[in-house]
Amino acid sequence: MKMSSHDSCPYNQRMGFFYNRSNITSTEWDQTQLILVQCFGSICCGFILVANVLVITAVITNRRFHYPFYYLLSNLAASDFLAGIAYVYLMFNTGKVSHELSVQVYFFRQGLLDISLSASLANLLVIALERYISVMNCKIHSNLTKRRVTLLIILVWGISIFMGTVPYLGWNCICSLELCSKLAPLFSRSYLIFWSVSNLVLFLIMVSIYLRIYIYVMRKTVVLKAHTSGSTNHKRTPIKLIKTVMTVLGAFVICWTPGLVVLLLDGLDCQRCEVLKFKRWLLLLAVLNSVMNPIIYSYKDEEMWTTIKNLMRCVCSGTRRQRSSKANIQRNSAHETSTSLKENTTEDSKVSTQEMLTS
């Protein structure tokens, strides 16, 4: 649906107008639930932001991570970081507050979530292709140059930003309210069908790629073990990297597939499905996925976990040094003050003694 300036398009209406048409008001949070969700969500989002910053910093500071796979992994952490920002913005612009939002602010709120999801999905697809190329060439890391990796990262974010802004650019139902969905009252049902089906197809493609890679690597490993008598620890490194990404992909699919299925049912205008009941639980699953990813990186990759621990120790030692330096400054200032007071007292006593002798 193309956006136009026709009088029948209620662009100046607040979101309460569209929520009432979609019957979303009957499933809104009450004040107590909203406060609990905001507190719990703030803790989760704080962890998401800090943990993904540590992952990105670990890749930048550790030279052992200066390979295409880890650059793309840090870009995946950046998309999770954006997701954390999007969840914070969503939590404090939901409930009764959401009814007062303008159309533009609502598109911005949903666009942040869509961009972060698109970026995560695109990153996982690029990582899958990078792993496929490297494994089929019997290498731990691919021969992608930094320039090509940079171009891939720019391409990922370009596509993600475009996908997140498509509803605002025109594929919405503001001028055709009868085509609006229930879960996202400004999004047309046709857009939800396109969004959910395309993402589910990408899930299947990535799962099939990783299954092919895993089967190939396991066969190669069996052959190498049969023909080599030495240690094969260095040959297990590709398997470790693949297991890390497969775990991330598995968590992503488990956390997002229910939401995509519900969006598809909403797009198909399923009247019996009662999709509004699942709205809050689907959001909780999405937050859980962004919480799990940095944990998976550190749990599956010992080098990553060691680097993150060293970073945290550096931060803690830095704060301790700052505290100790502040304490030393305070002690020195207190010592100087007491010394000056003693000197002043001594001088005063000398003056008073001289005055007494003179008198």
Side-chain angles (χ1 to χ4, degrees):
M1 297 295 170
K2 292 185 178 181
M3 296 179 71
S4 63
S5 58
H6 196 268
D7 294 337
S8 62
C9 301
Y11 291 110
N12 296 325
Q13 293 284 348
R14 294 290 175 179
M15 284 306 301
F17 171 79
F18 299 98
Y19 283 132
N20 289 332
R21 286 187 58 87
S22 300
N23 197 27
I24 293 181
T25 53
S26 61
T27 59
E28 286 291 347
W29 306 91
D30 59 39
Q31 194 63 27
T32 304
Q33 288 177 332
L34 186 61
I35 293 172
L36 290 174
V37 167
Q38 287 176 343
C39 293
F40 176 75
S42 298
I43 295 171
C44 291
C45 291
F47 175 81
I48 291 169
L49 297 176
V50 173
N52 285 290
V53 166
L54 287 173
V55 171
I56 295 169
T57 308
V59 173
I60 294 172
T61 56
N62 193 336
R63 291 185 178 181
R64 295 183 182 179
F65 297 147
H66 290 185
Y67 292 99
F69 170 78
Y70 287 104
Y71 291 143
L72 297 173
L73 196 67
S74 65
N75 197 40
L76 182 61
S79 64
D80 283 329
F81 182 85
L82 178 63
I85 296 174
Y87 295 141
V88 171
Y89 190 80
L90 175 64
M91 280 189 303
F92 291 95
N93 286 278
T94 191
K96 293 181 180 179
V97 178
S98 60
H99 291 260
E100 301 300 323
L101 297 178
S102 64
V103 170
Q104 290 75 19
V105 173
Y106 179 83
F107 276 128
F108 177 76
R109 190 188 77 173
Q110 298 303 119
L112 283 178
L113 286 172
D114 293 344
I115 290 170
S116 63
L117 172 60
S118 299
S120 297
L121 193 58
N123 273 304
L124 286 170
L125 180 60
V126 172
I127 291 173
L129 295 175
E130 189 273 342
R131 287 292 85 200
Y132 184 82
I133 293 170
S134 61
V135 169
M136 292 304 166
N137 290 326
C138 299
K139 294 181 179 179
I140 298 175
H141 297 287
S142 64
N143 291 328
L144 288 173
T145 61
K146 289 185 178 180
R147 182 180 179 182
R148 290 181 178 178
V149 173
T150 304
L151 290 175
L152 283 173
I153 292 173
I154 293 172
L155 181 64
V156 163
W157 285 105
I159 294 173
S160 303
I161 292 171
F162 174 75
M163 291 296 292
T165 55
V166 162
Y168 179 76
L169 294 175
W171 201 346
N172 56 59
C173 62
I174 296 179
C175 297
S176 302
L177 297 177
E178 68 278 3
L179 300 178
C180 291
S181 67
K182 294 178 182 178
L183 290 173
L186 293 185
F187 289 18
S188 62
R189 292 194 296 270
S190 59
Y191 174 74
L192 291 188
I193 293 173
F194 163 77
W195 173 263
S196 55
V197 170
S198 60
N199 287 335
L200 289 171
V201 169
L202 286 177
F203 283 178
L204 291 175
I205 292 172
M206 287 188 291
V207 170
S208 62
I209 289 173
Y210 279 113
L211 284 176
R212 179 175 172 77
I213 292 172
Y214 190 74
I215 292 170
Y216 177 82
V217 171
M218 292 303 294
R219 287 177 179 174
K220 280 284 184 181
T221 305
V222 171
V223 172
L224 288 171
K225 283 182 178 179
H227 292 83
T228 56
S229 58
S231 175
T232 58
N233 286 332
H234 66 284
K235 299 181 182 67
R236 292 177 188 151
T237 306
I239 301 176
K240 288 182 179 180
L241 296 180
I242 292 166
K243 284 183 177 179
T244 299
V245 185
M246 286 183 69
T247 308
V248 172
L249 178 62
F252 191 85
V253 170
I254 291 170
C255 291
W256 281 102
T257 298
L260 293 174
V261 171
V262 171
L263 285 176
L264 179 60
L265 294 174
D266 188 19
L268 295 173
D269 199 19
C270 179
Q271 298 296 329
R272 300 179 181 178
C273 300
E274 298 183 354
V275 293
L276 294 175
K277 289 185 177 180
F278 303 99
K279 183 179 179 181
R280 58 190 65 176
W281 304 111
L282 298 177
L283 180 61
L284 188 62
L285 262 180
V287 174
L288 183 63
N289 176 241
S290 295
V291 171
M292 290 170 63
N293 282 345
I295 297 174
I296 294 170
Y297 305 151
S298 57
Y299 176 74
K300 287 290 183 179
D301 196 320
E302 295 178 1
E303 184 70 23
M304 178 69 73
W305 174 234
T306 302
T307 307
I308 290 174
K309 283 195 295 185
N310 291 335
L311 286 172
M312 290 190 290
R313 287 171 184 169
C314 288
V315 172
C316 293
S317 62
T319 54
R320 287 174 184 172
R321 288 174 184 174
Q322 290 178 354
R323 291 174 183 173
S324 62
S325 62
K326 287 181 181 178
N328 290 331
I329 291 171
Q330 291 176 354
R331 289 170 187 170
N332 291 333
S333 62
H335 179 70
E336 290 175 357
T337 303
S338 62
T339 303
S340 62
L341 287 173
K342 288 179 181 179
E343 290 176 353
N344 291 333
T345 305
T346 306
E347 290 178 358
D348 291 339
S349 62
K350 287 180 180 179
V351 171
S352 61
T353 304
Q354 289 176 358
E355 289 179 352
M356 290 174 64
L357 291 172
T358 304
S359 61

